[in-house]
Amino acid sequence: MAARRSRTASEHESDDDSYEVLDLTEYARRHHWWNRVFGRNSGPIAEKYSVATQIVMGGVTGWCAGFLFQKVGKLAATAVGGGFLLLQIASHSGYVKVDWKRVEKDVNKAKKQLKKRANKAAPEINTLIEELEECLSSESVSYILG
């Protein structure tokens, strides 16, 4: 940041603009905003501990966070998988019945809506998809499927 000096009459006549450079980094080091809010003894951790201590603390907290997320992730995966397993067992036992015609109708409706949105969003992509559909005729699809 620069501040403009007041000019004398002789300097005022010249076209040179003179600026005095203010060092704000030194001011910021001496006047922390948190010193006013929390007091002199508070401040960022980087000023209180050595680099080695900060690295060790970062490593320990990172390991703890990873351990915690690993355990929570396993629990969540087990719950979701168990839920799917229970639904499959209930379906096989006859407790749950799926209306496949309604599912097909909803899927077709969703496909139409997506195609409408895709036409509005990026017409060049749609032309590419249509070309691919032409290349992959029903004969080649039936050959691939079996």
Side-chain angles (χ1 to χ4, degrees), residues 3-5 9 17 20 24 30 52 60-61 71 80 86 88 95-96 99 104 108-109 113 115 118 124 129-130 132:
R4 196 169 208 176
R5 289 188 309 169
D17 285 337
E20 179 183 349
L24 292 179
R30 284 183 278 139
V60 168
T61 55
K71 295 299 179 185
V80 169
L86 287 175
Q88 193 66 23
Y95 289 107
V96 176
D99 186 3
E104 185 179 2
N108 288 335
K109 184 178 175 183
Q113 288 177 350
K115 196 167 188 175
E124 62 274 359
I129 291 172
E130 289 170 0
L132 285 172

PDB file of all heavy atoms in Angstrom, residues 3-5 9 17 20 24 30 52 60-61 71 80 86 88 95-96 99 104 108-109 113 115 118 124 129-130 132:
ATOM      1  N   ALA A   3       1.217   5.585   0.238  1.00  0.00           N
ATOM      2  CA  ALA A   3       0.575   6.832   0.643  1.00  0.00           C
ATOM      3  C   ALA A   3       1.263   7.968  -0.083  1.00  0.00           C
ATOM      4  O   ALA A   3       2.485   7.953  -0.255  1.00  0.00           O
ATOM      5  CB  ALA A   3       0.689   7.018   2.148  1.00  0.00           C
ATOM      6  N   ARG A   4       0.539   8.934  -0.492  1.00  0.00           N
ATOM      7  CA  ARG A   4       1.095  10.051  -1.248  1.00  0.00           C
ATOM      8  C   ARG A   4       1.637  11.117  -0.285  1.00  0.00           C
ATOM      9  O   ARG A   4       0.982  11.469   0.675  1.00  0.00           O
ATOM     10  CB  ARG A   4       0.000  10.632  -2.122  1.00  0.00           C
ATOM     11  CG  ARG A   4       0.517  11.508  -3.178  1.00  0.00           C
ATOM     12  CD  ARG A   4      -0.558  11.828  -4.137  1.00  0.00           C
ATOM     13  NE  ARG A   4       0.080  12.067  -5.396  1.00  0.00           N
ATOM     14  CZ  ARG A   4      -0.550  12.303  -6.488  1.00  0.00           C
ATOM     15  NH1 ARG A   4      -1.842  12.296  -6.511  1.00  0.00           N
ATOM     16  NH2 ARG A   4       0.106  12.539  -7.595  1.00  0.00           N
ATOM     17  N   ARG A   5       2.857  11.583  -0.561  1.00  0.00           N
ATOM     18  CA  ARG A   5       3.454  12.647   0.256  1.00  0.00           C
ATOM     19  C   ARG A   5       2.879  13.980  -0.168  1.00  0.00           C
ATOM     20  O   ARG A   5       2.510  14.180  -1.316  1.00  0.00           O
ATOM     21  CB  ARG A   5       4.967  12.694   0.057  1.00  0.00           C
ATOM     22  CG  ARG A   5       5.695  11.542   0.650  1.00  0.00           C
ATOM     23  CD  ARG A   5       7.176  11.754   0.592  1.00  0.00           C
ATOM     24  NE  ARG A   5       7.598  12.122  -0.776  1.00  0.00           N
ATOM     25  CZ  ARG A   5       8.799  12.569  -1.077  1.00  0.00           C
ATOM     26  NH1 ARG A   5       9.704  12.728  -0.142  1.00  0.00           N
ATOM     27  NH2 ARG A   5       9.122  12.860  -2.312  1.00  0.00           N
ATOM     28  N   ALA A   9       5.969  23.388  -3.526  1.00  0.00           N
ATOM     29  CA  ALA A   9       5.636  24.088  -4.768  1.00  0.00           C
ATOM     30  C   ALA A   9       6.544  23.668  -5.914  1.00  0.00           C
ATOM     31  O   ALA A   9       6.107  23.522  -7.051  1.00  0.00           O
ATOM     32  CB  ALA A   9       5.722  25.606  -4.551  1.00  0.00           C
ATOM     33  N   ASP A  17       5.222  11.716 -10.029  1.00  0.00           N
ATOM     34  CA  ASP A  17       4.454  11.447  -8.812  1.00  0.00           C
ATOM     35  C   ASP A  17       5.347  10.668  -7.872  1.00  0.00           C
ATOM     36  O   ASP A  17       5.901   9.628  -8.228  1.00  0.00           O
ATOM     37  CB  ASP A  17       3.207  10.630  -9.130  1.00  0.00           C
ATOM     38  CG  ASP A  17       2.126  11.469  -9.780  1.00  0.00           C
ATOM     39  OD1 ASP A  17       2.164  12.697  -9.584  1.00  0.00           O
ATOM     40  OD2 ASP A  17       1.267  10.892 -10.456  1.00  0.00           O
ATOM     41  N   GLU A  20       5.424   7.293  -1.088  1.00  0.00           N
ATOM     42  CA  GLU A  20       6.162   6.764   0.048  1.00  0.00           C
ATOM     43  C   GLU A  20       5.568   5.393   0.355  1.00  0.00           C
ATOM     44  O   GLU A  20       4.350   5.243   0.486  1.00  0.00           O
ATOM     45  CB  GLU A  20       5.988   7.684   1.258  1.00  0.00           C
ATOM     46  CG  GLU A  20       6.699   7.200   2.493  1.00  0.00           C
ATOM     47  CD  GLU A  20       6.427   8.121   3.675  1.00  0.00           C
ATOM     48  OE1 GLU A  20       5.879   9.213   3.489  1.00  0.00           O
ATOM     49  OE2 GLU A  20       6.768   7.705   4.787  1.00  0.00           O
ATOM     50  N   LEU A  24       3.256  -2.519   5.701  1.00  0.00           N
ATOM     51  CA  LEU A  24       2.124  -2.964   6.510  1.00  0.00           C
ATOM     52  C   LEU A  24       2.395  -4.294   7.201  1.00  0.00           C
ATOM     53  O   LEU A  24       1.732  -4.632   8.172  1.00  0.00           O
ATOM     54  CB  LEU A  24       0.875  -3.081   5.642  1.00  0.00           C
ATOM     55  CG  LEU A  24       0.320  -1.760   5.123  1.00  0.00           C
ATOM     56  CD1 LEU A  24      -0.899  -2.011   4.260  1.00  0.00           C
ATOM     57  CD2 LEU A  24      -0.030  -0.837   6.265  1.00  0.00           C
ATOM     58  N   ARG A  30       2.931  -6.377  14.733  1.00  0.00           N
ATOM     59  CA  ARG A  30       2.865  -5.754  16.053  1.00  0.00           C
ATOM     60  C   ARG A  30       1.446  -5.574  16.562  1.00  0.00           C
ATOM     61  O   ARG A  30       1.216  -5.586  17.751  1.00  0.00           O
ATOM     62  CB  ARG A  30       3.575  -4.392  16.014  1.00  0.00           C
ATOM     63  CG  ARG A  30       5.084  -4.527  16.023  1.00  0.00           C
ATOM     64  CD  ARG A  30       5.765  -3.194  16.048  1.00  0.00           C
ATOM     65  NE  ARG A  30       5.793  -2.692  14.671  1.00  0.00           N
ATOM     66  CZ  ARG A  30       5.568  -1.444  14.320  1.00  0.00           C
ATOM     67  NH1 ARG A  30       5.315  -0.534  15.220  1.00  0.00           N
ATOM     68  NH2 ARG A  30       5.618  -1.087  13.064  1.00  0.00           N
ATOM     69  N   ALA A  52       8.534 -28.476  14.624  1.00  0.00           N
ATOM     70  CA  ALA A  52       8.481 -29.912  14.900  1.00  0.00           C
ATOM     71  C   ALA A  52       7.228 -30.260  15.699  1.00  0.00           C
ATOM     72  O   ALA A  52       6.544 -31.259  15.420  1.00  0.00           O
ATOM     73  CB  ALA A  52       9.733 -30.348  15.643  1.00  0.00           C
ATOM     74  N   VAL A  60      -0.701 -36.347  14.482  1.00  0.00           N
ATOM     75  CA  VAL A  60      -1.544 -37.048  15.461  1.00  0.00           C
ATOM     76  C   VAL A  60      -3.019 -36.750  15.209  1.00  0.00           C
ATOM     77  O   VAL A  60      -3.854 -37.665  15.194  1.00  0.00           O
ATOM     78  CB  VAL A  60      -1.137 -36.668  16.903  1.00  0.00           C
ATOM     79  CG1 VAL A  60      -2.159 -37.148  17.911  1.00  0.00           C
ATOM     80  CG2 VAL A  60       0.230 -37.237  17.225  1.00  0.00           C
ATOM     81  N   THR A  61      -3.363 -35.478  14.997  1.00  0.00           N
ATOM     82  CA  THR A  61      -4.767 -35.153  14.749  1.00  0.00           C
ATOM     83  C   THR A  61      -5.243 -35.731  13.417  1.00  0.00           C
ATOM     84  O   THR A  61      -6.384 -36.183  13.308  1.00  0.00           O
ATOM     85  CB  THR A  61      -5.003 -33.630  14.772  1.00  0.00           C
ATOM     86  OG1 THR A  61      -4.116 -33.011  13.841  1.00  0.00           O
ATOM     87  CG2 THR A  61      -4.785 -33.056  16.147  1.00  0.00           C
ATOM     88  N   LYS A  71     -13.802 -45.868  11.091  1.00  0.00           N
ATOM     89  CA  LYS A  71     -14.787 -46.599  11.894  1.00  0.00           C
ATOM     90  C   LYS A  71     -16.211 -46.191  11.528  1.00  0.00           C
ATOM     91  O   LYS A  71     -17.096 -47.035  11.387  1.00  0.00           O
ATOM     92  CB  LYS A  71     -14.546 -46.359  13.390  1.00  0.00           C
ATOM     93  CG  LYS A  71     -13.232 -46.908  13.884  1.00  0.00           C
ATOM     94  CD  LYS A  71     -13.159 -48.407  13.704  1.00  0.00           C
ATOM     95  CE  LYS A  71     -11.826 -48.947  14.189  1.00  0.00           C
ATOM     96  NZ  LYS A  71     -11.678 -50.366  13.931  1.00  0.00           N
ATOM     97  N   VAL A  80     -25.985 -49.738   5.588  1.00  0.00           N
ATOM     98  CA  VAL A  80     -26.615 -49.673   4.259  1.00  0.00           C
ATOM     99  C   VAL A  80     -26.688 -51.065   3.639  1.00  0.00           C
ATOM    100  O   VAL A  80     -27.726 -51.472   3.105  1.00  0.00           O
ATOM    101  CB  VAL A  80     -25.839 -48.694   3.341  1.00  0.00           C
ATOM    102  CG1 VAL A  80     -26.303 -48.803   1.903  1.00  0.00           C
ATOM    103  CG2 VAL A  80     -25.997 -47.265   3.853  1.00  0.00           C
ATOM    104  N   LEU A  86     -31.798 -56.976   4.147  1.00  0.00           N
ATOM    105  CA  LEU A  86     -33.117 -57.187   4.750  1.00  0.00           C
ATOM    106  C   LEU A  86     -34.237 -56.935   3.741  1.00  0.00           C
ATOM    107  O   LEU A  86     -35.228 -57.672   3.716  1.00  0.00           O
ATOM    108  CB  LEU A  86     -33.288 -56.287   5.969  1.00  0.00           C
ATOM    109  CG  LEU A  86     -32.479 -56.697   7.204  1.00  0.00           C
ATOM    110  CD1 LEU A  86     -32.639 -55.664   8.307  1.00  0.00           C
ATOM    111  CD2 LEU A  86     -32.910 -58.069   7.698  1.00  0.00           C
ATOM    112  N   GLN A  88     -34.017 -57.364   0.515  1.00  0.00           N
ATOM    113  CA  GLN A  88     -33.994 -58.486  -0.426  1.00  0.00           C
ATOM    114  C   GLN A  88     -34.663 -59.715   0.195  1.00  0.00           C
ATOM    115  O   GLN A  88     -35.428 -60.425  -0.476  1.00  0.00           O
ATOM    116  CB  GLN A  88     -32.554 -58.792  -0.826  1.00  0.00           C
ATOM    117  CG  GLN A  88     -32.421 -59.705  -2.000  1.00  0.00           C
ATOM    118  CD  GLN A  88     -32.944 -59.081  -3.280  1.00  0.00           C
ATOM    119  OE1 GLN A  88     -33.028 -57.880  -3.415  1.00  0.00           O
ATOM    120  NE2 GLN A  88     -33.330 -59.914  -4.217  1.00  0.00           N
ATOM    121  N   TYR A  95     -42.998 -60.295   1.589  1.00  0.00           N
ATOM    122  CA  TYR A  95     -43.440 -59.149   2.379  1.00  0.00           C
ATOM    123  C   TYR A  95     -43.445 -57.862   1.555  1.00  0.00           C
ATOM    124  O   TYR A  95     -44.207 -56.948   1.826  1.00  0.00           O
ATOM    125  CB  TYR A  95     -42.538 -58.953   3.601  1.00  0.00           C
ATOM    126  CG  TYR A  95     -42.716 -60.020   4.652  1.00  0.00           C
ATOM    127  CD1 TYR A  95     -41.761 -60.997   4.848  1.00  0.00           C
ATOM    128  CD2 TYR A  95     -43.860 -60.048   5.436  1.00  0.00           C
ATOM    129  CE1 TYR A  95     -41.921 -61.978   5.793  1.00  0.00           C
ATOM    130  CE2 TYR A  95     -44.033 -61.028   6.392  1.00  0.00           C
ATOM    131  CZ  TYR A  95     -43.063 -61.993   6.569  1.00  0.00           C
ATOM    132  OH  TYR A  95     -43.224 -62.955   7.507  1.00  0.00           O
ATOM    133  N   VAL A  96     -42.571 -57.799   0.567  1.00  0.00           N
ATOM    134  CA  VAL A  96     -42.460 -56.616  -0.274  1.00  0.00           C
ATOM    135  C   VAL A  96     -42.734 -57.034  -1.713  1.00  0.00           C
ATOM    136  O   VAL A  96     -42.144 -57.989  -2.211  1.00  0.00           O
ATOM    137  CB  VAL A  96     -41.048 -55.994  -0.170  1.00  0.00           C
ATOM    138  CG1 VAL A  96     -40.921 -54.814  -1.119  1.00  0.00           C
ATOM    139  CG2 VAL A  96     -40.745 -55.590   1.245  1.00  0.00           C
ATOM    140  N   ASP A  99     -44.068 -53.161  -7.985  1.00  0.00           N
ATOM    141  CA  ASP A  99     -44.907 -52.940  -9.158  1.00  0.00           C
ATOM    142  C   ASP A  99     -43.985 -52.545 -10.308  1.00  0.00           C
ATOM    143  O   ASP A  99     -43.671 -51.376 -10.507  1.00  0.00           O
ATOM    144  CB  ASP A  99     -45.930 -51.839  -8.856  1.00  0.00           C
ATOM    145  CG  ASP A  99     -46.931 -51.655  -9.983  1.00  0.00           C
ATOM    146  OD1 ASP A  99     -46.863 -52.417 -10.979  1.00  0.00           O
ATOM    147  OD2 ASP A  99     -47.756 -50.737  -9.864  1.00  0.00           O
ATOM    148  N   GLU A 104     -41.193 -49.090 -14.473  1.00  0.00           N
ATOM    149  CA  GLU A 104     -40.842 -48.831 -15.870  1.00  0.00           C
ATOM    150  C   GLU A 104     -41.431 -47.508 -16.355  1.00  0.00           C
ATOM    151  O   GLU A 104     -40.761 -46.736 -17.046  1.00  0.00           O
ATOM    152  CB  GLU A 104     -41.346 -49.988 -16.744  1.00  0.00           C
ATOM    153  CG  GLU A 104     -40.938 -49.871 -18.196  1.00  0.00           C
ATOM    154  CD  GLU A 104     -41.434 -51.040 -19.027  1.00  0.00           C
ATOM    155  OE1 GLU A 104     -42.116 -51.923 -18.487  1.00  0.00           O
ATOM    156  OE2 GLU A 104     -41.153 -51.038 -20.232  1.00  0.00           O
ATOM    157  N   ASN A 108     -39.181 -44.312 -17.594  1.00  0.00           N
ATOM    158  CA  ASN A 108     -39.374 -43.700 -18.917  1.00  0.00           C
ATOM    159  C   ASN A 108     -39.689 -42.213 -18.796  1.00  0.00           C
ATOM    160  O   ASN A 108     -39.212 -41.403 -19.598  1.00  0.00           O
ATOM    161  CB  ASN A 108     -40.481 -44.421 -19.687  1.00  0.00           C
ATOM    162  CG  ASN A 108     -40.037 -45.792 -20.162  1.00  0.00           C
ATOM    163  OD1 ASN A 108     -38.842 -46.038 -20.345  1.00  0.00           O
ATOM    164  ND2 ASN A 108     -40.989 -46.693 -20.342  1.00  0.00           N
ATOM    165  N   LYS A 109     -40.484 -41.844 -17.800  1.00  0.00           N
ATOM    166  CA  LYS A 109     -40.806 -40.439 -17.570  1.00  0.00           C
ATOM    167  C   LYS A 109     -39.538 -39.660 -17.218  1.00  0.00           C
ATOM    168  O   LYS A 109     -39.301 -38.567 -17.734  1.00  0.00           O
ATOM    169  CB  LYS A 109     -41.830 -40.331 -16.437  1.00  0.00           C
ATOM    170  CG  LYS A 109     -42.309 -38.936 -16.164  1.00  0.00           C
ATOM    171  CD  LYS A 109     -43.350 -38.959 -15.048  1.00  0.00           C
ATOM    172  CE  LYS A 109     -43.773 -37.566 -14.654  1.00  0.00           C
ATOM    173  NZ  LYS A 109     -44.714 -37.587 -13.525  1.00  0.00           N
ATOM    174  N   GLN A 113     -37.689 -36.510 -19.293  1.00  0.00           N
ATOM    175  CA  GLN A 113     -37.346 -35.230 -18.667  1.00  0.00           C
ATOM    176  C   GLN A 113     -35.860 -34.934 -18.819  1.00  0.00           C
ATOM    177  O   GLN A 113     -35.463 -33.804 -19.098  1.00  0.00           O
ATOM    178  CB  GLN A 113     -37.734 -35.228 -17.195  1.00  0.00           C
ATOM    179  CG  GLN A 113     -39.226 -35.149 -16.960  1.00  0.00           C
ATOM    180  CD  GLN A 113     -39.582 -35.215 -15.486  1.00  0.00           C
ATOM    181  OE1 GLN A 113     -38.743 -35.492 -14.644  1.00  0.00           O
ATOM    182  NE2 GLN A 113     -40.854 -34.960 -15.181  1.00  0.00           N
ATOM    183  N   LYS A 115     -33.905 -36.019 -21.181  1.00  0.00           N
ATOM    184  CA  LYS A 115     -33.633 -35.720 -22.584  1.00  0.00           C
ATOM    185  C   LYS A 115     -34.039 -34.285 -22.918  1.00  0.00           C
ATOM    186  O   LYS A 115     -33.338 -33.581 -23.645  1.00  0.00           O
ATOM    187  CB  LYS A 115     -34.375 -36.712 -23.480  1.00  0.00           C
ATOM    188  CG  LYS A 115     -33.866 -36.742 -24.885  1.00  0.00           C
ATOM    189  CD  LYS A 115     -34.392 -37.939 -25.633  1.00  0.00           C
ATOM    190  CE  LYS A 115     -33.699 -38.021 -26.970  1.00  0.00           C
ATOM    191  NZ  LYS A 115     -34.064 -39.209 -27.702  1.00  0.00           N
ATOM    192  N   ALA A 118     -31.442 -32.041 -21.420  1.00  0.00           N
ATOM    193  CA  ALA A 118     -30.189 -32.156 -22.172  1.00  0.00           C
ATOM    194  C   ALA A 118     -30.286 -31.398 -23.492  1.00  0.00           C
ATOM    195  O   ALA A 118     -29.308 -30.794 -23.932  1.00  0.00           O
ATOM    196  CB  ALA A 118     -29.857 -33.625 -22.409  1.00  0.00           C
ATOM    197  N   GLU A 124     -25.175 -29.773 -28.825  1.00  0.00           N
ATOM    198  CA  GLU A 124     -24.086 -30.458 -29.530  1.00  0.00           C
ATOM    199  C   GLU A 124     -23.829 -31.845 -28.947  1.00  0.00           C
ATOM    200  O   GLU A 124     -23.450 -32.767 -29.666  1.00  0.00           O
ATOM    201  CB  GLU A 124     -22.798 -29.625 -29.511  1.00  0.00           C
ATOM    202  CG  GLU A 124     -22.224 -29.339 -28.151  1.00  0.00           C
ATOM    203  CD  GLU A 124     -22.824 -28.107 -27.475  1.00  0.00           C
ATOM    204  OE1 GLU A 124     -23.678 -27.443 -28.070  1.00  0.00           O
ATOM    205  OE2 GLU A 124     -22.432 -27.828 -26.350  1.00  0.00           O
ATOM    206  N   ILE A 129     -24.778 -37.986 -29.251  1.00  0.00           N
ATOM    207  CA  ILE A 129     -25.479 -39.169 -28.730  1.00  0.00           C
ATOM    208  C   ILE A 129     -26.330 -39.804 -29.830  1.00  0.00           C
ATOM    209  O   ILE A 129     -26.372 -41.027 -29.964  1.00  0.00           O
ATOM    210  CB  ILE A 129     -26.337 -38.781 -27.510  1.00  0.00           C
ATOM    211  CG1 ILE A 129     -25.424 -38.418 -26.337  1.00  0.00           C
ATOM    212  CG2 ILE A 129     -27.286 -39.908 -27.110  1.00  0.00           C
ATOM    213  CD1 ILE A 129     -26.146 -37.841 -25.143  1.00  0.00           C
ATOM    214  N   GLU A 130     -27.006 -38.967 -30.621  1.00  0.00           N
ATOM    215  CA  GLU A 130     -27.825 -39.504 -31.707  1.00  0.00           C
ATOM    216  C   GLU A 130     -26.966 -40.227 -32.741  1.00  0.00           C
ATOM    217  O   GLU A 130     -27.348 -41.279 -33.258  1.00  0.00           O
ATOM    218  CB  GLU A 130     -28.620 -38.378 -32.364  1.00  0.00           C
ATOM    219  CG  GLU A 130     -29.740 -37.845 -31.485  1.00  0.00           C
ATOM    220  CD  GLU A 130     -30.372 -36.580 -32.041  1.00  0.00           C
ATOM    221  OE1 GLU A 130     -29.930 -36.120 -33.116  1.00  0.00           O
ATOM    222  OE2 GLU A 130     -31.296 -36.065 -31.396  1.00  0.00           O
ATOM    223  N   LEU A 132     -24.139 -41.753 -32.127  1.00  0.00           N
ATOM    224  CA  LEU A 132     -23.744 -43.018 -31.513  1.00  0.00           C
ATOM    225  C   LEU A 132     -24.878 -44.026 -31.539  1.00  0.00           C
ATOM    226  O   LEU A 132     -24.657 -45.220 -31.756  1.00  0.00           O
ATOM    227  CB  LEU A 132     -23.288 -42.783 -30.072  1.00  0.00           C
ATOM    228  CG  LEU A 132     -21.919 -42.147 -29.897  1.00  0.00           C
ATOM    229  CD1 LEU A 132     -21.681 -41.807 -28.439  1.00  0.00           C
ATOM    230  CD2 LEU A 132     -20.831 -43.066 -30.407  1.00  0.00           C
TER     231      LEU A 132
END
